[in-house]
Amino acid sequence: MSSREIAVRPGGTLRMFANELATQFRRGRTLAMLGALALIPILLGVAIRIAGSSSPGRGPAFLDQITGNGLFVALAALTVAIPLFLPLTVSVAAGDAIAGEAASGTLRYLLLVPSGRARLLAVKYAWAVVFCLTAAVLVVVVGTIVGWILFPVGPVTLLTGTEVSVVEGVGRVLLIAGYAALSLCGLAAIGLFFSTVTSVPIGAMAATAILAVAAQIVGAIPQLEALHPVLFTDRWLDFGDLLRAPIVWDGFAQNALLQGAYIVVFVGAALWRFARKDILT
C-alpha cells in the first residue's frame, strides 16, 4: 500500500503513526540511545553495590538511600538522567524528525498525500512524545530491576515520613517517570521546530541540546531568578510532591501548563515554518 493510500483511507493517520513507531524502534540509533539510558541505573547500582552508599547529602538525590531500599536505584538514576542524558536523546529524536527525512531525500515523497505537512508533523511529534515516555520509563524499570537484584527491597518511606508498601512504592516511581516524560515534551516541541528550520539533522539536534543546557544554566543563576518560571527546564526535578502522602498535584499541574505552553508555541511555529518550506530545495 502506498503512503498516499494509507493517508486517505480511514485511520490513515494512525497507520502512519504505527509505521513511524515501527520504523523508529527498529533503527540502530534509537536502540543504541535506549541501551545507553538503560546503562545508567545498571552502572549506578553496581557502583553502589561495590563501593557502598555515599554519605547523606553527597551526590545525587536518593543516592544515600539505595543500600537500604533498592527501589531508590530507579529514582537516583532518573535524577542523574534528567539534566543531561534524557534531554540529549530527546534532542536527537526530535531534531531528526523532519530534517532527517529532508537529508535522506524521503521528505518530498511523504508529502505526496493530502494535507501531508500537518499530518506528518503530528505523526513526528507523536513519535517524539512516545520516545520521551519510553526513555523515562526504561530508566526507572531497569533501575527497579537492578535495585531488586542487588539490594534489599521493602516498604518505602516517603518525604512526609509515611511508609507505603512496595507495590505503592513502585507505582510512585512509575508516576515520577510519567512526570519526567511530561517535562521533556516541551523540549521535543522545540526540537521539532528546529527540525523544520534546517535540512541538516545534526544542526537541529545540536541546537535543541544546547538550548536545554543553556536553559538549565540560566535556571541555576540567582541573578536571573525572574526568568526561571518561564524556562521549560524550571520544573524538571520538582517531582518531590509525588513522594508525599497524600500526593500533592499542584507541581504536576503547573509543569503540565508550562510544557503545554511550549508545545503550543513551538509546534505551532513548526507548522507555520513547515507550511512555507520549499521541499525541493
Side-chain angles (χ1 to χ4, degrees):
M1 183 181 295
S2 69
S3 59
R4 181 182 180 89
E5 290 171 331
I6 289 174
V8 298
R9 291 181 59 180
T13 301
L14 290 178
R15 291 188 181 90
M16 287 180 66
F17 179 51
N19 289 339
E20 179 72 14
L21 290 183
T23 299
Q24 294 291 349
F25 279 116
R26 284 198 299 262
R27 297 183 70 176
R29 184 182 64 197
T30 302
L31 297 176
M33 290 192 300
L34 293 176
L37 289 173
L39 280 176
I40 296 173
I42 293 174
L43 293 175
L44 185 63
V46 171
I48 296 299
R49 179 65 179 178
I50 294 174
S53 179
S54 64
S55 302
R58 297 184 61 186
F62 310 110
L63 194 66
D64 58 319
Q65 301 180 58
I66 288 177
T67 54
N69 194 329
L71 290 181
F72 285 103
V73 172
L75 293 177
L78 194 61
T79 303
V80 169
I82 285 177
L84 177 61
F85 300 106
L86 282 172
L88 181 60
T89 55
V90 170
S91 297
V92 173
D96 183 66
I98 300 298
E101 301 287 0
S104 64
T106 58
L107 185 57
R108 67 187 67 182
Y109 300 109
L110 290 172
L111 297 180
L112 292 175
V113 299
S115 304
R117 301 195 182 205
R119 189 190 303 267
L120 182 60
L121 273 181
V123 168
K124 290 293 188 179
Y125 183 66
W127 144 247
V129 170
V130 169
F131 182 83
C132 292
L133 182 60
T134 302
V137 170
L138 178 67
V139 171
V140 300
V141 168
V142 173
T144 300
I145 294 172
V146 169
W148 214 295
I149 294 173
L150 298 180
F151 305 100
V153 172
V156 178
T157 301
L158 303 178
L159 297 180
T160 52
T162 306
E163 190 175 86
V164 298
S165 67
V166 173
V167 173
E168 184 173 346
V170 171
R172 298 285 186 115
V173 170
L174 290 174
L175 190 58
I176 290 172
Y179 181 94
L182 172 65
S183 299
L184 295 166
C185 288
L187 179 64
I190 294 171
L192 182 71
F193 169 70
F194 283 139
S195 192
T196 64
V197 172
T198 179
S199 297
V200 182
I202 190 66
M205 298 173 193
T208 308
I210 290 171
L211 185 61
V213 173
Q216 292 181 80
I217 292 174
V218 172
I221 300 175
Q223 290 82 355
L224 299 178
E225 186 176 0
L227 297 177
H228 294 179
V230 299
L231 297 173
F232 61 91
T233 58
D234 185 52
R235 294 186 173 273
W236 276 8
L237 293 172
D238 291 353
F239 50 76
D241 287 346
L242 302 179
L243 292 174
R244 301 183 185 277
I247 294 176
V248 179
W249 294 101
D250 293 355
F252 202 116
Q254 291 170 9
N255 188 36
L257 288 174
L258 178 62
Q259 302 306 322
Y262 273 90
I263 292 169
V264 169
V265 170
F266 281 95
V267 172
L271 182 59
W272 178 86
R273 175 69 180 86
F274 197 40
R276 290 157 178 77
K277 185 179 180 68
D278 185 359
I279 304 303
L280 298 178
T281 59

